[in-house]
Amino acid sequence: DREMPELDGYSFLARYRQEGGSAPVVLLTGHVSARESERGQRAGFAGFLGKPVDTLTLTRLLEALCEALIASSLPQQPARATH
């Protein structure tokens, strides 16, 4: 959450990354705006959700993040030459 007590979402993400965390982190906020979304992207958040959370939007975001994680964990296949 962008406005957690003692440690806001941006500070949390910075600390998490400094400590070696690599899992995707989604910014959750009631401050829904293009500017806030862009700020979150620049900070390194994997996604942006506004409050109140729409379940369909949440589901789609989680599906996309899971697909990206699966794709990044698969061994890379060498390119095959075509004749």
Side-chain angles (χ1 to χ4, degrees), residues 9-47:
Y10 291 98
S11 298
F12 165 80
L13 181 61
R15 184 180 295 175
Y16 176 69
R17 296 292 185 230
Q18 287 173 350
E19 294 176 0
S22 61
V25 178
V26 175
L27 177 62
L28 176 64
T29 182
H31 301 276
V32 180
S33 68
R35 181 177 179 185
E36 192 67 32
S37 177
E38 291 166 7
R39 180 180 175 211
Q41 286 180 326
R42 286 191 309 273
F45 285 96

Side-chain angles (χ1 to χ4, degrees), residues 37-58:
S37 177
E38 291 166 7
R39 180 180 175 211
Q41 286 180 326
R42 286 191 309 273
F45 285 96
F48 177 88
L49 288 174
K51 294 179 188 176
V53 176
D54 173 68
T55 56
L56 182 58
T57 302
L58 174 61

Side-chain angles (χ1 to χ4, degrees), residues 22-26 45-47 59-76:
S22 61
V25 178
V26 175
F45 285 96
T59 301
R60 287 180 177 161
L61 176 60
L62 292 175
E63 286 174 346
L65 291 173
C66 288
E67 288 172 8
L69 284 171
I70 290 168
S72 70
S73 68
L74 295 176
Q76 297 296 316

